[in-house]
Amino acid sequence: MNARYLRMPHVESGMVVGLFGGSFNPPHQGHVLVADTAIQRLGLDQLWWMVTPGNPLKDHNNLAPLADRIAMSEAIARDPRIKVTAFEKALGQSYTARTLEIVRARNRDIRFVWIMGADNLRSFHRWQNWQKIARTFPIAVIDRPGSTLAYLSSRMARTFDYARIDEDHARRLAFHAAPAWTFIHGPRSSMSSTALRAATAAPSRSESI
């Protein structure tokens, strides 16, 4: 693995940067759609595509090697504003709350927004120190199939209802003090990493005959 993936991407003072973390096991066009939507709707200068060592809430038995997930991410994330990185590996971090603390401490003059798909909103309250995450950086939740109403029903949405910003003002989100969040509707992809892993693991028709 190239050592540059273990460092935070280079940024310039005043930039607006989205933080999009995940296992990306494997990455797919649904992830790209979330990233592209965030870049356009939030007016991002960069989006850090953060390939995590492993999600503490997920089974690691089927987790592809980190180097493979980085390579696959680089292959599909074509926008030059997307910076594929795995700096959490070098930090020895698996928990988002601590990672964001470190990112903020090392980049005081950058405006960050945490990016996540709406499918993660339902379980966000299970993340370690989830309320601390919401109070560290503004959050943009990007619509995903079957999760459009999560911004109304999830515990996070109910807890921070007072901090929700209309998506028409999404380009100003990074300039709001946390907690602040918005739900962005738009094109959705039905692709999922779980389904792709299942399809890869399933024997072909010819093999089963």
Side-chain angles (χ1 to χ4, degrees), residues 137-208:
F137 293 135
I139 297 174
V141 182
I142 312 298
D143 203 1
R144 289 278 288 150
S147 303
T148 302
L149 297 181
Y151 78 103
L152 296 175
S153 60
S154 70
R155 184 172 173 184
M156 182 274 192
R158 296 196 307 271
T159 301
F160 291 100
D161 178 67
Y162 69 93
R164 185 162 70 90
I165 294 168
D166 190 282
E167 66 178 297
D168 289 343
H169 305 294
R171 292 182 75 89
R172 297 298 303 167
L173 180 64
F175 299 88
H176 285 264
W181 67 283
T182 193
F183 190 100
I184 297 178
H185 297 81
R188 296 172 294 175
S189 168
S190 60
M191 296 185 73
S192 77
S193 296
T194 301
L196 289 173
R197 288 197 303 274
T200 300
S204 68
R205 180 178 177 85
S206 60
E207 292 173 335
S208 61

Side-chain angles (χ1 to χ4, degrees), residues 54-207:
N55 186 330
L57 297 178
K58 294 183 179 180
D59 182 0
H60 290 188
N61 288 335
N62 296 315
L63 187 65
L66 181 60
D68 292 352
R69 290 181 283 129
I70 289 172
M72 289 186 288
S73 295
E74 285 279 24
I76 65 171
R78 301 298 181 85
D79 191 312
R81 290 169 289 188
I82 297 176
K83 310 298 180 182
V84 176
T85 179
F87 68 84
E88 283 180 290
K89 174 69 173 178
L91 298 178
Q93 289 299 319
S94 297
Y95 293 102
T96 299
R98 179 57 181 150
T99 293
L100 298 191
E101 278 187 336
I102 296 171
V103 168
R104 181 172 61 181
R106 295 186 182 181
N107 301 274
R108 291 292 185 182
D109 55 353
I110 305 298
R111 295 189 179 275
F112 288 101
V113 177
W114 177 252
I115 313 295
M116 66 178 175
D119 48 334
N120 285 319
L121 192 58
R122 297 180 190 277
S123 61
F124 186 58
H125 64 278
R126 295 177 56 208
W127 295 23
Q128 186 183 71
N129 295 324
W130 66 278
Q131 293 197 32
K132 185 176 183 179
I133 295 172
R135 292 188 170 98
T136 301
F137 293 135
I139 297 174
V141 182
I142 312 298
D143 203 1
R144 289 278 288 150
S147 303
T148 302
L149 297 181
Y151 78 103
L152 296 175
S153 60
S154 70
R155 184 172 173 184
M156 182 274 192
R158 296 196 307 271
T159 301
F160 291 100
D161 178 67
Y162 69 93
R164 185 162 70 90
I165 294 168
D166 190 282
E167 66 178 297
D168 289 343
H169 305 294
R171 292 182 75 89
R172 297 298 303 167
L173 180 64
F175 299 88
H176 285 264
W181 67 283
T182 193
F183 190 100
I184 297 178
H185 297 81
R188 296 172 294 175
S189 168
S190 60
M191 296 185 73
S192 77
S193 296
T194 301
L196 289 173
R197 288 197 303 274
T200 300
S204 68
R205 180 178 177 85
S206 60
E207 292 173 335

